[in-house]
Amino acid sequence: MTDRQDAGFREHTPLSEALIRFGEQVSPHGRAEAVPVTEADERWLAAALTARRDVPGEARAAMDGYAVLAEDTLGASERAPVVLDRNDRAGQGRATPVHTGSELPSGADAVVKVERTDDRDGDVAVRATVAPGENVAPAGEDVAAGTDLFSAGHRLTPADLAVAKSTGHRQLTVAERPRVSVVPTGEELVEDDPGPGQTVETNALMVSRLAERWGGTATYRDVVTDDVDALGDAIERDTDHDVVVTTGGSSVGERDLLPEVVDDRGEMRVHGVAIKPGHPLGFGVVDETPILVLPGYPVSCLVGAVSFLRPAIAWLAGAEPDPLAETAATLTERIHSDLGTTQFVRVSLDDGDATPVRASGAGVLSSAVEADGWVVVGPETEVLDVDATVTVERWP
């Protein structure tokens, strides 16, 4: 421990490189399940989806009016209407009442708008010539049978579910939710009222709930104390999960044991990422299971979870993560950053302005609550001036 503590971090891997290396150890789990379409919101498709039937399934009236044979209206005009027999059965010489969305009756091929007709002693005076198919929604106009709807890896929205159901799907084959184990570590952590030198456990709570929002199924474990054997056993216990996430104990202090534990039980592949806050982050593999080691400072933990765990859950499901929502804003205060480091600056938004909530302080959890998102300052940028237009990422 002393050598590591004196040496500090051997490297600070650039964020872009760290994400590539982390992605190389996170493979799709390959498990799928069939779920009712009503329960598939925000699930990732495990197989491509194709329309099983036309929508609409038959030709329909696109207007309120009368279904007719178009040839019967030839020459009809305001000055010279054509009189047709009002009849519930369509056919030559007949006009059949229809409503928008109703099936076009057999024997008709067009619809005359109701406002272009007049009732005339039980008959219908048609004051417009219509062409075949006019004011008619043909079968398959919305979606034709056999149309490719969504590819594997697509994350379903409520509108997607409506399309899937309308085209004949009652169940959808989706990726199982990736299983995420979240293990809080640190002998100072407690669940109830803290005593002197103690801290209430919050990081793993936050990460486990985020994992659920991002599409995973989270196991929120009890606190594990700073003991090499206890930490190693806790990690190995959960290697049946798709990814194990630890919080705390990731730096280079005497009680920061997790990098050595992961390296002893498997392989620590990155320790130290060039991000601020969050540079003590690391990751490795134990029993072929990815282990993500998040820092103990709350905001560092949040940055690491959004940057690494969020995409990992999508990758495990065989998909790509959705981009975070972004807002363009005008910076109200200058931001200084370290060259070579990607900095996440928490900001609040007000009428198009972005104001830093706190430029530093990775342990100030309330700053994340007060912020509406963060500005990501790239490693090549040292200063962002007042009035600069910035992109604010809105984390969930």
Side-chain angles (χ1 to χ4, degrees), residues 66 83-87 93 95 118-126:
Y66 292 90
V83 179
L84 301 176
D85 174 31
R86 179 186 174 108
N87 198 299
D118 294 306
D119 288 335
R120 186 173 293 183
D121 297 328
D123 291 329
V124 178
V126 176

Side-chain angles (χ1 to χ4, degrees), residues 289-359:
T289 301
I291 312 298
L292 178 60
V293 180
L294 295 178
Y297 278 138
V299 182
S300 297
C301 184
L302 175 62
V303 168
V306 173
S307 300
F308 287 84
L309 179 59
R310 183 174 179 272
I313 290 173
W315 295 335
L316 287 163
E320 289 297 320
D322 296 327
L324 290 171
E326 295 181 345
T327 301
T330 301
L331 198 60
T332 63
E333 298 178 15
R334 175 177 287 190
I335 293 175
H336 293 273
S337 187
D338 298 329
L339 288 175
T341 297
T342 300
Q343 182 163 324
F344 295 77
V345 180
R346 288 144 277 163
V347 297
S348 62
L349 292 171
D350 181 24
D351 196 25
D353 290 336
T355 301
V357 172
R358 191 180 179 100

Side-chain angles (χ1 to χ4, degrees), residues 17-311:
E17 180 184 339
L19 283 169
I20 291 172
R21 293 171 67 178
F22 188 54
E24 290 172 347
Q25 68 182 50
V26 179
S27 301
H29 59 53
R31 303 186 305 273
E33 61 181 339
V35 299
V37 66
T38 53
E39 299 175 13
D41 187 28
E42 295 193 323
R43 300 295 295 272
W44 285 285
L45 281 173
L49 199 66
T50 301
R52 291 177 173 171
R53 63 186 177 209
D54 290 336
V55 179
E58 64 284 315
R60 296 182 181 180
M63 298 285 177
D64 292 340
Y66 292 90
V68 298
L69 274 174
E71 63 183 33
D72 286 340
T73 69
L74 187 63
S77 67
E78 293 288 342
R79 298 181 63 181
V82 171
V83 179
L84 301 176
D85 174 31
R86 179 186 174 108
N87 198 299
D88 289 338
R89 296 183 63 185
Q92 191 166 22
R94 298 173 180 173
T96 303
V98 290
H99 301 286
T100 301
S102 62
E103 181 180 356
L104 187 73
S106 176
D109 62 4
V111 172
V112 181
K113 297 179 183 178
V114 67
E115 56 265 33
R116 304 303 299 275
T117 66
D118 294 306
D119 288 335
R120 186 173 293 183
D121 297 328
D123 291 329
V124 178
V126 176
R127 297 183 278 106
T129 299
V130 292
E134 190 166 342
N135 299 320
V136 173
E141 179 189 46
D142 188 358
V143 182
T147 298
D148 293 330
L149 299 176
F150 311 109
S151 58
H154 175 76
R155 196 170 194 185
L156 294 161
T157 69
D160 297 338
L161 303 185
V163 170
K165 183 178 180 181
S166 71
T167 58
H169 294 276
R170 290 294 178 268
Q171 287 192 322
L172 300 177
T173 302
V174 297
E176 284 188 12
R177 296 183 185 275
R179 299 194 295 265
V180 183
S181 166
V182 186
V183 182
T185 75
E187 63 187 34
E188 76 283 5
L189 297 181
V190 296
E191 294 292 347
D192 299 317
D193 295 337
Q198 293 181 326
T199 301
V200 176
E201 197 299 299
T202 57
N203 284 342
L205 169 64
M206 174 177 65
V207 171
S208 63
R209 296 312 94 192
L210 285 171
E212 295 274 351
R213 288 194 177 197
W214 293 332
T217 297
T219 303
Y220 177 24
R221 293 298 192 184
D222 293 334
V223 174
V224 180
T225 192
D226 296 317
D227 175 81
V228 169
D229 292 333
L231 293 169
D233 291 346
I235 289 172
E236 290 194 336
R237 169 197 60 197
D238 286 346
T239 53
D240 60 340
H241 289 63
D242 296 306
V243 60
V244 176
V245 184
T246 62
T247 62
S250 69
S251 192
V252 292
E254 291 183 359
R255 288 161 52 191
D256 293 302
L257 306 176
L258 277 164
E260 278 86 352
V261 168
V262 173
D263 219 26
D264 180 60
R265 304 286 179 120
E267 180 185 2
M268 193 73 179
R269 295 185 174 172
V270 165
H271 184 210
V273 178
I275 57 176
K276 184 178 180 180
H279 73 275
L281 182 146
F283 53 83
V285 176
V286 174
D287 293 340
E288 300 184 352
T289 301
I291 312 298
L292 178 60
V293 180
L294 295 178
Y297 278 138
V299 182
S300 297
C301 184
L302 175 62
V303 168
V306 173
S307 300
F308 287 84
L309 179 59
R310 183 174 179 272

